[in-house]
Amino acid sequence: MIDIIQPGMLASVQDMGRYGHRRLGIHPGGALNTLALASANLLVGNPVDAAGLEITMGVAELRFTRATRIALGGDDIGATLDGKPIAACWSIPVRAGSILKLSLAAADSPEQAPRHSMRTYLAVAGGIDVPLVLGSRSTDLKAGFGGHQGRALKRGDKLPIGDAQAAAAAVHGPAFGVRSPRWSGLALRADEHSQHVTLRVLPAPEFDQFSKSAREALWSDTWRVTPNSNRMGYRLEGPELKRKQGRDMLSHGVVPGVIQVPPSGQPIILMGDAQTTGGYPKIGVIIGADLWKLAQAPLNATLRLEPCEMADALAAAEEQQRYLDSIRATVAALDWSRATLYKK
C-alpha cells in the first residue's frame, strides 16, 4: 500500500491510456509523458503499461507500507527517500515505512517553478492495483472515472500495490541506474544552454488555408506556453495566425498533438485529455515522439516549432523505442548480486 501524505498540486493514477472508445467520446488520457512512465516501469520489472503515479510540479510526500522497489521518471525532480537524494532512472529498493518526498526543482522565479520538469512519474514493482475501467487504470479527471475513485489524489488516500512479477531477489536487490533520456539523445532541450524546447511538426490538412505570413511565423517565431494550459491542451502565445479566408468547419475527429487555431489566432496543442472532436482549423500536428517534451515543458517555457517529414517522425519513434529496448535488455541481463549499490 502507498499512503498519500501530500499529493501536491495534481497527482493521479495513470497508465498508457484508454483506447478504442473514441466513438463514445472518451479520450485516451493516460500519462502525458509516456516515455518517462514506460522507462520507470521497465526499471522495476513491470510491463511498460503498468499503472503508476503522475505528479505535477512536484511537492508530494508518500509512505510505502511494505517493502517494494520504485523508480522515478522525469528529470531534475528534487526527490528524497528517507531524506536521502534519489535521481530519476534509478531502480531502488524501498523498506516498509519509507517516505518519498518530491520538492520543486530550481526555478528562475516563483511563478516559473519547476524549471526543467513539469511532471514526475513514480513506478512501483507490481504497479498501482486500482480496478481496470474500459481496459485502463488511468484516471479520467474530467469524466470522473478510472484511477483512484475517478479523481485526483487527496491527503489520506491509500493506493494498493499489485503483485510484482519480478522475483523477490529483484524486488529487494541493490539499486542500479540507467542512462536518462537526456544522456541518450532524447533531451528536453537541444543542450544545457538552449532556451527553447523544439518540437517537430507535420503540416495538417488546413495548413495551406493560413496566410503566407502565418505559415512563416509558425516556423520562425518563438511560442510561449501560457499558464492557461493543462492535461487537455497547451495554449501558446505568439504572433496571430490568420487564415486567408474565414470559413466555418464541421466538427471532426482530433487526436493528441494536433495544433488547433481558434479565432484568436493563438494556437492550442491538444494533449491526452483533449476532446475527441473539434471544429477549429488545424495548422499542424506535433509528432508522437515529441509529445513527451511538451508534457515536461514548464509553464512560460518557450517553444520553437520545426517542420518535418513523415520519415523523420517514424525515425524519431524508432529512436525512442531503441531507448526503451536498451532498458529492457539491461534489466533482463542484470545480475542482481553484482549490481552497483546506490550510494547517493
Side-chain angles (χ1 to χ4, degrees):
M1 197 72 76
I2 300 175
D3 291 339
I4 306 300
I5 301 173
Q6 167 59 264
M9 178 176 290
L10 176 63
S12 61
V13 177
Q14 300 291 344
D15 58 17
M16 290 298 162
R18 184 173 285 109
Y19 290 88
H21 308 290
R22 284 184 171 276
R23 68 188 185 284
L24 304 174
I26 298 174
H27 56 66
L32 294 188
N33 185 345
T34 55
L35 179 64
L37 178 59
S39 57
N41 269 326
L42 290 173
L43 284 167
V44 297
N46 291 344
V48 293
D49 59 352
L53 296 188
E54 180 180 271
I55 301 166
T56 307
M57 297 182 70
V59 192
E61 185 172 350
L62 320 171
R63 180 190 297 111
F64 302 91
T65 63
R66 80 182 202 200
T68 184
R69 175 170 288 267
I70 64 169
L72 295 171
D75 60 2
D76 197 14
I77 47 184
T80 61
L81 183 66
D82 295 332
K84 184 177 177 180
I86 62 172
C89 294
W90 277 82
S91 178
I92 303 168
V94 174
R95 296 190 300 268
S98 288
I99 293 179
L100 174 69
K101 290 184 179 180
L102 275 67
S103 59
L104 292 176
D108 297 323
S109 70
E111 291 77 21
Q112 290 183 311
R115 187 169 56 190
H116 294 301
S117 184
M118 186 71 174
R119 294 179 171 84
T120 302
Y121 293 85
L122 168 68
V124 55
I128 307 297
D129 193 23
V130 294
L132 282 167
V133 178
L134 296 175
S136 170
R137 293 184 168 85
S138 284
T139 311
D140 188 323
L141 293 167
K142 187 174 182 181
F145 65 84
H148 180 71
Q149 300 179 5
R151 58 168 172 77
L153 299 178
K154 298 179 180 179
R155 186 192 303 268
D157 283 342
K158 297 180 182 297
L159 300 176
I161 300 174
D163 293 332
Q165 294 183 0
V171 172
H172 302 290
F176 67 94
V178 297
R179 288 177 179 269
S180 70
R182 172 186 168 190
W183 289 99
S184 301
L186 300 171
L188 178 62
R189 291 179 169 83
D191 56 58
E192 290 287 345
H193 306 292
S194 176
Q195 298 180 352
H196 311 298
V197 175
T198 299
L199 305 173
R200 288 163 286 188
V201 178
L202 293 169
E206 288 77 57
F207 180 80
D208 289 333
Q209 293 183 12
F210 287 85
S211 67
K212 180 180 178 183
S213 60
R215 285 178 277 151
E216 291 175 349
L218 181 70
W219 310 128
S220 61
D221 282 66
T222 298
W223 301 91
R224 184 178 73 90
V225 177
T226 73
N228 189 19
S229 300
N230 53 36
R231 283 182 52 90
M232 291 185 66
Y234 270 41
R235 292 180 177 272
L236 306 186
E237 181 182 84
E240 181 181 358
L241 300 180
K242 294 183 178 179
R243 296 168 77 189
K244 297 174 187 174
Q245 294 180 334
R247 68 175 72 168
D248 293 334
M249 294 180 59
L250 294 175
S251 289
H252 50 273
V254 291
V255 296
V258 162
I259 308 174
Q260 290 186 321
V261 183
S264 67
Q266 299 299 284
I268 303 169
I269 304 178
L270 303 185
M271 302 298 281
D273 281 4
Q275 71 281 3
T276 56
T277 62
Y280 293 140
K282 309 175 293 297
I283 195 170
V285 58
I286 308 296
I287 66 171
D290 280 359
L291 272 179
W292 72 269
K293 296 182 181 180
L294 186 58
Q296 289 301 93
L299 302 179
N300 294 312
T302 53
L303 308 178
R304 300 299 297 265
L305 303 178
E306 179 180 283
C308 77
E309 304 290 337
M310 181 61 73
D312 301 319
L314 295 174
E318 291 174 357
E319 181 184 21
Q320 193 169 342
Q321 186 58 52
R322 282 195 296 272
Y323 172 69
L324 295 176
D325 288 344
S326 71
I327 298 176
R328 186 180 287 107
T330 297
V331 173
L334 186 66
D335 182 346
W336 293 91
S337 65
R338 297 175 59 187
T340 303
L341 288 171
Y342 189 76
K343 297 180 179 178
K344 289 185 68 176

